[in-house]
């Protein structure tokens, strides 16, 4: 990669890369088959539902706890122990550092092979999830099995992959999907490095700076951290963090606006950087004074010498870093070079973090005495999503389009439109009608396959949680716990917010979401005392949601009945008068937006084999009618207390 990203690239290196990636793919496939044969690929889960395991029409649910990834960690990670919350992390933690290192390097090369060759991208999210999980556990080891040089190589590979994707995609204003994926992977790994650095900084003991060591005119706070007190693990990570920050300073268009996240919580890296900024505020980076070459005792001074960082020397001439700001600095002859180098790195990082605050749309800001993330959460973009969303047009949406076409025809007749326009509209209506019929036939075939197959296996990896109105009335504390865990994304249907607004104003909810607010069953007139209690709970729930959306919580989303995600609920009125069914059906349709069933993915390999469906969405409700509807549409459903117990976050 260094050969390909030089000023005069050696193009034959591309053939070597292709061979290397092909070998990595072969080894990764072998490891995957071996783990699957041993049963390790399934991970911990909960089975349930259905009749007997082998009976016709049986339904089995396999629940797997999700992998906690880079963006989801920052909200609940207070130390190294939180990295062991997942059993899958525990499984990796049982490996020796050497074995884990080998596994990570193989996964890392496999992921970059996909990005370089653009082959097999349908499995890219799964491979990246494994890379991030292994990397996170690996950097927790002390001493680090990677070391400073290998970590620098890993960061350099991420930079090259972004550079290579940019070369393929041109210089358009809109980033390509490949550019988004490469940048998101680089930022996710950078976020993990930053989190580890922040942990190590917080664990480094502070001390008071003696008065005789203070610079003239400087006021030192009690409890500053000396650079010379940095632990070895932190000193090995700083060069890689500094180099990536150099790259970000030189290529702001690659990461601002922030790319769509791989893991669903895109603000993780910026929240991690805000935490690092707060931790660096207590670091004494002036322990070894640095001098510039502008007459302040720099170049030409016989008592000073040039400070050249090892990472800058190793990456000299690397094209992705040519745009990075480079300012030579000098240190006193008697100063320890290693300490001075770390002071230089801390200085560069502080400048970089201040630059994030100075963006046209700031990503960090100083509020309430500390730095906080100001980054917005773009909607995750996964290859093929646009196509699948196009293919999964619901029956109701198709009806709406057809009705619209019919009304357009009528208006054209009345307005005296040309015959060509009328023919075009009629042809469009015919095409839409045929398309709706094809979709219905496809659904009928899928249903027929499901009915004839002996068994249905539902593999549930919860990521998106969709609560009904009852959840906010009866179990708001549980929903707050799930949101604060950072592991799951809370998706709130707009109809639920509308119902909560109505309850908060003392109105009776219409349409029936969740079968009885606060009462657990009846939707009749519950009495003045109960009504007031429900009203107060609804007010608290609405206030909680408004605060969450105003703070741009990365794991909180609102969803319209048509599947559109909203960044804000300031304007949240939605006309549902044309919707079929009641509010329960609208909530269920929000869940179905996250169910993407493709026949080639779930069809059994053998004639009598089980049909396997994968789900990342879970409906949270204790309403019996809604639960039955969800089960008939193969949507996983749990009540909030049961889910909290299973997820081990409550």
């Amino acid at each position: 990669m260094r050969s390909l990203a030089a000023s005069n690239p050696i193009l034959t290196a591309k053939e070597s890369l292709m061979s290397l990636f092909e070998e990595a793919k072969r080894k990764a496939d072998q490891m995957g088959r071996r783990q699957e044969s041993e049963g390790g690929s399934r991970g911990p889960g909960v089975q349930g539902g259905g009749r007997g395991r082998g009976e016709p029409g049986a339904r089995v649910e396999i629940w797997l706890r999700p992998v906690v990834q880079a963006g989801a960690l920052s909200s609940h990670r207070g130390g190294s122990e939180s990295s062991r919350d997942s059993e899958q992390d525990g499984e990796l933690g049982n490996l020796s550092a050497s074995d884990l290192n080998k596994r990570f390097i193989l996964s890392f090369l496999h992921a970059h092979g996909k990005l370089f060759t653009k082959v097999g991208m349908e499995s890219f999210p799964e491979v990246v999830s494994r890379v991030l999980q292994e990397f996170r556990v690996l950097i927790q080891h002390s001493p680090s099995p990677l070391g400073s040089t290998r970590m620098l190589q890993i960061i350099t590979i991420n930079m090259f992959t972004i550079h290579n994707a940019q070369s393929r995609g041109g210089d358009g204003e809109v980033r390509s999907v490949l550019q988004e994926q490469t940048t998101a992977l680089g930022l996710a790994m950078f976020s993990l490095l930053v989190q580890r650095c922040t942990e190590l900084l917080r664990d480094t003991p502070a001390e008071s700076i003696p008065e005789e060591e203070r610079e003239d005119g400087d006021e030192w706070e009690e409890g500053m951290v000396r650079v010379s007190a940095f632990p070895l693990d932190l000193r090995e990570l700083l060069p890689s963090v500094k180099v990536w920050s150099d790259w970000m300073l030189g290529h702001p268009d690659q990461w601002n606006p922030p790319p769509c996240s791989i893991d669903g919580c895109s603000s993780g890296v910026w929240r991690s950087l805000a935490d690092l900024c707060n931790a660096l505020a207590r670091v004494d980076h002036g322990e070894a004074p640095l001098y510039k070459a502008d007459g302040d005792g720099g170049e030409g001074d016989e008592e000073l010498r040039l400070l050249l960082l090892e990472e800058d020397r190793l990456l000299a001439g690397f094209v992705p870093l040519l745009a990075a700001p480079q300012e030579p600095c000098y240190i006193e002859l008697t100063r320890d070079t290693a300490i001075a180098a770390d002071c230089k790195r801390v200085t560069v990082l502080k400048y970089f973090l201040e630059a994030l605050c100075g963006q046209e749309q700031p990503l960090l800001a100083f509020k309430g005495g500390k730095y906080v993330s100001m980054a917005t959460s773009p909607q995750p973009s996964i290859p093929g999503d646009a196509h699948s969303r196009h293919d999964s047009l619901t029956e109701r949406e198709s009806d709406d389009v057809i009705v619209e076409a019919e009304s357009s025809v009528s208006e054209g007749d009345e307005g005296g439109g040309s015959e060509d326009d009328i023919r075009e509209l009629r042809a469009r209506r015919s095409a839409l009608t045929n398309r709706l019929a094809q979709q219905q036939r496809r659904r009928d075939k899928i249903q027929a396959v499901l009915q004839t197959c002996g068994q249905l296996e539902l593999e549930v990896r919860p990521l998106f949680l969709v609560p009904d109105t009852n959840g906010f009335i009866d179990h708001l504390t549980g929903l707050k716990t799930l949101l604060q865990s950072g592991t799951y994304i809370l998706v709130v249907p707009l109809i639920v917010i509308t119902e909560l607004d109505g309850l908060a104003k003392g109105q009776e909810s219409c349409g029936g979401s969740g079968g009885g607010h606060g009462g657990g069953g009846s939707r009749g007139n519950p009495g003045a005392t109960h009504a007031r209690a429900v009203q107060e709970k609804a007010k608290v729930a609405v206030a909680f949601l408004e605060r969450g959306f105003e703070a741009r919580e990365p794991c909180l989303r609102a969803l319209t009945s048509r599947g559109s995600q909203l960044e804000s609920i300031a304007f949240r009125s939605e006309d549902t008068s044309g919707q079929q069914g009641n509010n329960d059906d609208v909530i269920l349709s929000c869940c179905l937006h996250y169910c993407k069933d493709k026949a080639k993915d779930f069809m059994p390999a053998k004639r009598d084999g089980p049909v396997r469906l994968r789900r990342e969405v879970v409906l949270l409700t204790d309403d019996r009618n809604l639960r039955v509807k969800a089960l008939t549409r193969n949507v996983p459903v749990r009540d909030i207390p049961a889910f909290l117990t299973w997820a081990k976050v409550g």
Side-chain angles (χ1 to χ4, degrees):
M1 289 181 173
R2 290 291 306 277
S3 301
L4 287 173
S7 300
N8 295 311
I10 303 174
L11 299 181
T12 53
K14 184 176 181 180
E15 298 176 5
S16 301
L17 268 184
M18 297 291 285
S19 300
L20 187 151
F21 287 140
E22 182 61 31
E23 179 69 12
K25 178 180 180 300
R26 184 183 64 81
K27 290 182 178 179
D29 290 343
Q30 287 178 349
M31 179 178 289
R33 285 193 295 269
R34 184 165 62 249
Q35 290 177 345
E36 187 172 353
S37 64
E38 295 171 355
S41 62
R42 305 303 293 254
V46 177
Q47 298 180 357
R51 289 169 268 176
R53 196 173 230 291
E55 296 178 22
R59 169 196 173 98
V60 176
E61 291 185 1
I62 302 171
W63 286 65
L64 305 173
R65 291 187 183 86
V67 177
V68 183
Q69 298 178 7
L73 284 171
S74 57
S75 63
H76 72 318
R77 189 183 177 112
S80 61
E81 289 301 319
S82 63
S83 65
R84 299 175 178 83
D85 288 344
S86 163
E87 280 96 337
Q88 295 181 354
D89 279 359
E91 181 185 346
L92 292 175
N94 292 331
L95 295 175
S96 67
S98 175
D99 290 342
L100 180 58
N101 186 23
K102 292 177 182 177
R103 181 183 290 195
F104 162 70
I105 293 299
L106 183 58
S107 301
F108 182 72
L109 292 178
H110 189 202
H112 278 279
K114 290 179 178 293
L115 293 172
F116 189 80
T117 62
K118 296 197 291 187
V119 174
M121 291 301 291
E122 66 278 357
S123 60
F124 178 71
E126 180 182 349
V127 174
V128 167
S129 173
R130 188 164 60 247
V131 170
L132 295 177
Q133 184 188 8
E134 292 168 353
F135 184 61
R136 176 162 57 84
V137 177
L138 187 63
I139 60 178
Q140 293 291 331
H141 280 265
S142 180
S144 172
L146 290 171
S148 178
T149 302
R150 176 58 60 88
M151 188 69 74
L152 203 58
Q153 291 173 343
I154 290 171
I155 291 296
T156 304
I157 290 172
N158 287 340
M159 281 188 234
F160 169 82
T161 305
I162 298 172
H163 168 76
N164 188 56
Q166 186 180 20
S167 303
R168 292 184 182 185
D171 297 324
E173 293 184 2
V174 179
R175 291 191 291 255
S176 66
V177 173
L178 188 64
Q179 286 176 280
E180 289 271 310
Q181 291 169 327
T182 54
T183 306
L185 173 58
L187 287 176
M189 294 187 67
F190 176 61
S191 176
L192 292 174
L193 280 180
V194 168
Q195 289 171 16
R196 179 60 175 156
C197 288
T198 304
E199 288 176 7
L200 293 170
L201 275 173
R202 288 172 176 168
D203 293 340
T204 304
E207 57 184 277
S208 299
I209 306 296
E211 187 173 352
E212 59 271 14
E213 294 185 20
R214 303 179 186 179
E215 297 291 332
D216 292 339
D218 285 346
E219 294 183 3
W220 294 90
E221 296 181 7
E222 293 295 323
M224 298 292 286
V225 175
R226 287 179 175 272
V227 172
S228 56
F230 282 178
L232 178 60
D233 290 342
L234 178 59
R235 297 180 65 181
E236 289 187 342
L237 295 180
L238 279 179
S240 299
V241 177
K242 181 261 178 189
V243 164
W244 186 267
S245 67
D246 284 343
W247 173 83
M248 291 182 70
L249 285 172
H251 301 275
D253 55 317
Q254 286 292 325
W255 49 268
N256 195 13
C260 295
S261 172
I262 291 175
D263 54 17
C265 293
S266 59
S267 298
V269 62
W270 314 112
R271 294 166 66 178
S272 301
L273 286 169
D275 292 340
L276 178 64
C277 201
N278 293 321
L280 286 176
R282 52 191 287 268
V283 174
D284 171 22
H285 65 279
E287 185 175 346
L290 306 175
Y291 302 95
K292 301 178 183 178
D294 56 1
D296 62 347
E299 189 173 9
D301 194 319
E302 296 180 355
E303 296 182 357
L304 300 177
R305 56 190 171 93
L306 179 66
L307 175 64
L308 181 61
L309 299 182
E310 182 66 14
E311 58 268 27
D312 292 340
R313 185 186 67 80
L314 287 174
L315 296 176
F318 187 49
V319 168
L321 285 175
L322 293 181
Q326 295 291 341
E327 186 176 352
C329 67
Y330 299 82
I331 59 173
E332 298 167 357
L333 294 174
T334 57
R335 289 287 179 181
D336 182 278
T337 303
I339 295 177
D342 285 337
C343 287
K344 169 69 173 175
R345 294 174 184 123
V346 171
T347 302
V348 171
L349 286 176
K350 287 188 174 183
Y351 172 77
F352 162 66
L353 294 168
E354 288 295 333
L356 293 180
C357 299
Q359 296 287 314
E360 185 175 346
Q361 292 183 345
L363 297 169
L364 299 184
F366 191 76
K367 290 185 176 181
K370 65 177 182 178
Y371 287 91
V372 296
S373 168
M374 300 294 290
T376 57
S377 302
Q379 182 174 344
S381 175
I382 302 173
D385 266 8
H387 181 69
S388 63
R389 281 194 298 268
H390 180 74
D391 288 345
S392 62
L393 187 67
T394 64
E395 182 176 347
R396 179 61 195 162
E397 288 171 328
S398 301
D399 287 342
D400 290 342
V401 175
I402 294 170
V403 170
E404 181 183 351
E406 290 174 346
S407 62
S408 300
V409 173
S410 301
E411 291 172 2
D413 290 338
E414 293 175 2
S418 66
E419 292 185 4
D420 291 340
D421 292 339
I422 295 173
R423 277 197 298 270
E424 181 180 349
L425 289 171
R426 285 175 175 164
R428 181 184 172 202
R429 180 179 64 180
S430 176
L432 290 171
T433 305
N434 291 336
R435 181 179 168 192
L436 177 60
Q438 290 174 358
Q439 289 176 347
Q440 186 60 47
R441 285 194 296 270
R442 178 173 174 270
R443 282 193 291 269
D444 292 342
K445 287 181 180 179
I446 291 174
Q447 201 62 32
V449 169
L450 294 177
Q451 290 174 355
T452 56
C453 288
Q455 181 184 346
L456 172 64
E457 284 190 5
L458 211 60
E459 184 179 293
V460 187
R461 295 178 180 268
L463 175 61
F464 304 100
L465 306 181
V466 181
D468 70 345
T469 311
N470 266 354
F472 287 96
I473 298 297
D474 297 332
H475 306 290
L476 182 59
T477 303
L479 292 177
K480 289 180 179 179
T481 302
L482 289 170
L483 182 63
Q484 291 167 0
S485 73
T487 307
Y488 307 99
I489 299 175
L490 204 62
V491 180
V492 187
L494 207 57
I495 191 66
V496 169
I497 303 177
T498 303
E499 281 199 339
L500 288 173
D501 281 334
L503 290 170
K505 296 174 183 176
Q507 303 170 0
E508 287 191 9
S509 176
C510 57
S513 162
H517 300 294
S522 169
R523 289 186 78 83
N525 187 6
T529 303
H530 176 69
R532 281 196 299 270
V534 170
Q535 183 178 2
E536 291 303 316
K537 290 180 179 180
K539 289 180 179 178
V540 173
V542 170
F544 162 70
L545 289 173
E546 289 177 341
R547 285 195 305 271
F549 280 100
E550 286 174 4
R552 297 186 180 276
E553 282 283 352
C555 293
L556 182 63
R557 300 178 186 172
L559 198 70
T560 69
S561 58
R562 299 299 174 87
S564 301
Q565 291 188 14
L566 302 180
E567 297 288 342
S568 169
I569 58 171
F571 304 97
R572 52 183 181 256
S573 60
E574 182 182 23
D575 182 15
T576 58
S577 57
Q579 293 286 347
Q580 291 182 345
N582 58 16
N583 290 355
D584 283 353
D585 299 306
V586 176
I587 294 174
L588 184 57
S589 70
C590 291
C591 298
L592 293 173
H593 284 293
Y594 294 98
C595 300
K596 304 178 181 68
D597 294 329
K598 296 181 180 179
K600 65 177 182 179
D601 295 333
F602 65 72
M603 286 297 292
K606 299 180 181 179
R607 181 178 181 85
D608 298 328
V611 174
R612 291 188 176 92
L613 299 180
R614 292 176 174 82
R615 293 288 184 263
E616 290 186 328
V617 63
V618 176
L619 174 62
L620 300 179
T621 180
D622 52 10
D623 175 66
R624 183 177 299 175
N625 291 333
L626 185 52
R627 290 167 69 96
V628 170
K629 288 183 179 181
L631 291 172
T632 60
R633 301 299 298 272
N634 294 318
V635 174
V637 58
R638 286 288 185 274
D639 59 73
I640 294 175
F643 187 85
L644 284 168
T645 302
W646 174 82
K648 297 182 179 179
V649 296

